[in-house]
Amino acid sequence: MENKRYLEDTDKKYIWHPFTQMKDWAAGTPTIIEEGSGCRIKDIDGKWYLDGVSSIWVNIHGHRRKEIDDAIREQIGKISHSTLLGLSNVPAIKLAERIIGIMGRSFNCMGNSSWLPSSGRAQQVGVKAEMPSPAKVFYSDNGSTAVEVALKMAFQYWIHKGVEGKNSFLSLTNAYHGDTLGAVSVGGVDIFHKVFGPLLFKTFKAPSPYCYRCGSGRNPQDCGSACVAEMDSILKKHHREIAALIIEPLVQAAGGMIIFPEGYLKAVRDLCSRYGVLMIADEIATGFGRTGRMFACEHEAVVPDIICLSKGITGGYLPLAVTLATEEVYKAFLGDFKELKTFFHGHSYTGNPLACAAALACLDIFEKEDTLGRIQPMISLSEERLAEISGLDHVGEARNRGLMAGIELVKEKNTGEPYDWEEKMGWRVANYAKEKGLFIRPIGNVIIVMPPLSVSVEELEQMLDIIEEGIKAVT
Ligand code: PMP
């Protein structure tokens, strides 16, 4: 087909693909997607693939959801973009209110009122509602920008509070917060981040609670939370230099689906409070139901000071991100014009009306279909199957939190000796899966399974069958 040949050649001629060795890409034949439906995507040859990684962790309710398609079309009929710098727009306003409402429900049942609009608080204590001054939504367009905003906000917060010297951040080894330089500075995945070392600002690194490969060589049952103790000692020594801690709650996704032991996140929150360090929760991968609750922090009743959201926010349709700040953080930025307390940050497409309209429709579906209730049996199914898969000879650990799963392949099951990364074991399984009609993208030796939340029992079974076969065939 001439069209096919033209597209393949033109892709290779002009596109530089992200996180891709282009020499290998040029030697292969690109798979070119032209259509999607539900949990499947179709290439230009007409072959359908199960979307096993939700189009890189963004898709929530499936492709071509009528409600989201319609909402975007309706918004196109009004206006596609107008700026939030000096103006506002209708979907951005409605979405901000909606998100703060969800935050109120998710976090205020936990005894902290900072995510609840003041009007709501006033009703609670039986006084007349004042002009609401709730937590605030700061818009941007992708996960990395949401993180940049959070870091700058936390840094500037302390300046406005008159606290000097908080010029650094605390993050975890194996953390991934995006690809812009601030986000890379707080990142901890050497293979992606090390090369940029000379460009990065100073941060402190606490050990990732990666129990399967615990740096201290202990096991979670009797380690006495050694990684919490290490974070404690870093904070004890350096808290005066640290503006904020940034963390992916419960799951370090791009680090290889590393699942935190129970209680770890709560312990981290307590340390932040004790040492006067803001807590930034990067829920970009974990947010919007992926862990089985709307937000991962809910599992441990943890209330962060700043929250970053993106990816699933629009159901995987359009780029949009928000950085949420508690009323306490926001209020520090209020002052007379000449005091220069303004938050000087903003992107051209901030609060894009089409993306906000898609996000509103996505949230409607969560409510209408009780998405969080619907996925619970899917999570149990995936746990049963992962337990089976973990018995395979070359699987070191098959772990999950909700519908985020990672299967770590190892050369030696008994010792956990990893395959050399050059062996591309993860990719070999992914290539096998692609042949069989499943698209997945591994992280090193870890096979990632993160389907849209709309996945059916049959589709999930099919995905895990193919992966199991693939692991057996390749190892
Ligand atoms: N934070 C986390 C936890 C992520 O997983 C990602 C992306 N995988 C990002 C930030 C960056 O998001 P984006 O790719 O949209 O910049």
Side-chain angles (χ1 to χ4, degrees):
M1 191 213 295
E2 191 203 345
N3 192 33
K4 171 178 159 68
R5 202 47 208 272
Y6 158 78
L7 289 169
E8 286 170 358
D9 292 349
T10 312
D11 173 285
K12 289 190 192 176
K13 196 165 167 190
Y14 293 111
I15 300 185
W16 188 342
H17 287 264
F19 280 94
T20 302
Q21 175 43 259
M22 292 305 290
K23 189 174 163 202
D24 293 344
W25 185 269
T29 308
T31 301
I32 302 168
I33 299 300
E34 67 172 2
E35 209 181 303
S37 175
C39 289
R40 291 169 200 264
I41 46 179
K42 188 181 93 174
D43 73 13
I44 53 172
D45 292 324
K47 178 170 174 176
W48 284 91
Y49 304 85
L50 285 159
D51 189 354
V53 284
S54 308
S55 296
I56 303 299
W57 315 350
V58 296
N59 195 284
I60 298 281
H61 302 298
H63 297 277
R64 278 193 25 234
R65 278 301 301 237
K66 185 174 181 320
E67 300 89 326
I68 308 180
D69 291 0
D70 287 348
I72 294 172
R73 268 194 217 102
E74 197 184 323
Q75 185 57 39
I76 287 177
K78 294 177 181 153
I79 187 167
S80 292
H81 185 66
S82 144
T83 182
L84 278 196
L85 281 78
L87 294 172
S88 199
N89 73 64
V90 178
I93 294 170
K94 290 185 176 168
L95 181 61
E97 181 188 44
R98 190 83 177 267
I99 288 179
I100 295 296
I102 293 172
M103 288 295 150
R105 284 198 293 282
S106 293
F107 294 110
N108 290 300
C109 51
M110 297 161 186
N112 180 315
S113 61
S114 53
W115 291 100
L116 197 66
S118 315
S119 51
R121 275 210 296 277
Q123 275 163 18
Q124 274 186 337
V125 293
V127 297
K128 197 168 159 264
E130 333 134 9
M131 188 61 192
S133 171
K136 289 287 186 289
V137 170
F138 192 96
Y139 284 110
S140 64
D141 5 82
N142 60 71
S144 305
T145 55
V147 167
E148 296 295 327
V149 167
L151 298 175
K152 288 173 75 177
M153 215 176 240
F155 169 76
Q156 205 176 333
Y157 166 81
W158 290 111
I159 294 177
H160 297 331
K161 295 295 274 186
V163 178
E164 285 176 20
K166 282 186 174 282
N167 299 332
S168 193
F169 294 89
L170 174 59
S171 59
L172 299 188
T173 57
N174 293 316
Y176 178 86
H177 297 290
D179 294 333
T180 49
L181 287 175
V184 172
S185 295
V186 290
V189 182
D190 276 356
I191 200 160
F192 304 151
H193 299 148
K194 205 170 172 190
V195 64
F196 300 110
L199 302 179
L200 308 179
F201 55 74
K202 181 183 154 196
T203 57
F204 295 94
K205 293 278 185 279
S208 151
Y210 187 4
C211 299
Y212 180 64
R213 296 196 180 281
C214 178
S216 71
R218 303 186 228 192
N219 68 55
Q221 286 74 41
D222 57 20
C223 73
S225 304
C227 47
V228 175
E230 199 162 332
M231 182 180 278
D232 190 350
S233 74
I234 295 171
L235 281 165
K236 192 181 234 163
K237 204 161 160 204
H238 298 288
H239 66 95
R240 283 179 202 83
E241 300 161 67
I242 297 173
L245 162 130
I246 180 163
I247 192 163
E248 295 159 86
L250 292 199
V251 186
Q252 289 189 301
M257 290 292 166
I258 296 164
I259 315 284
F260 294 177
E262 219 176 304
Y264 175 82
L265 189 67
K266 182 88 187 135
V268 169
R269 170 70 265 188
D270 292 346
L271 288 178
C272 289
S273 304
R274 177 154 21 116
Y275 288 106
V277 160
L278 294 178
M279 180 184 189
I280 304 171
D282 173 352
E283 292 248 18
I284 289 159
T286 51
F288 298 99
R290 296 280 180 202
T291 66
R293 307 279 294 255
M294 198 60 165
F295 302 108
C297 286
E298 289 176 49
H299 290 274
E300 297 204 352
V302 159
V303 183
D305 301 292
I306 296 177
I307 305 177
C308 304
L309 302 173
S310 185
K311 287 195 185 279
I313 191 170
T314 60
Y317 266 63
L318 286 163
L320 182 71
V322 297
T323 305
L324 298 152
T326 55
E327 188 180 357
E328 160 62 21
V329 170
Y330 167 74
K331 275 191 341 205
F333 288 75
L334 301 179
D336 289 338
F337 185 69
K338 59 174 191 265
E339 287 182 88
L340 288 177
K341 285 186 171 177
T342 304
F343 187 47
F344 291 108
H345 191 107
H347 300 278
S348 311
Y349 283 98
T350 282
N352 173 259
L354 291 180
C356 292
L360 283 163
C362 170
L363 292 174
D364 285 343
I365 301 175
F366 265 102
E367 281 179 22
K368 192 180 74 184
E369 295 191 345
D370 182 25
T371 304
L372 297 174
R374 204 197 68 83
I375 60 172
Q376 300 310 318
M378 250 43 96
I379 296 172
S380 308
L381 170 69
S382 126
E383 274 162 7
E384 280 165 30
R385 292 298 308 274
L386 289 169
E388 254 171 65
I389 291 173
S390 71
L392 296 180
D393 286 348
H394 290 279
V395 172
E397 191 179 51
R399 46 186 179 252
N400 80 299
R401 191 79 213 219
L403 285 179
M404 302 175 80
I407 302 165
E408 182 161 346
L409 305 178
V410 288
K411 199 164 174 173
E412 277 296 330
K413 197 175 177 86
N414 294 336
T415 59
E417 186 194 341
Y419 284 109
D420 264 353
W421 64 274
E422 291 99 322
E423 281 189 66
K424 292 188 175 173
M425 267 310 181
W427 277 110
R428 290 204 221 166
V429 175
N431 293 339
Y432 175 97
K434 200 155 153 217
E435 282 289 309
K436 304 280 175 191
L438 165 67
F439 176 72
I440 46 175
R441 194 176 160 89
I443 296 171
N445 290 326
V446 182
I447 308 297
I448 305 295
V449 198
M450 198 157 153
L453 302 189
S454 60
V455 70
S456 69
V457 172
E458 296 72 34
E459 286 164 336
L460 189 57
E461 289 269 25
Q462 219 179 326
M463 287 180 192
L464 293 164
D465 284 345
I466 295 174
I467 289 169
E468 188 169 351
E469 281 163 27
I471 295 172
K472 283 183 189 156
V474 166
T475 56

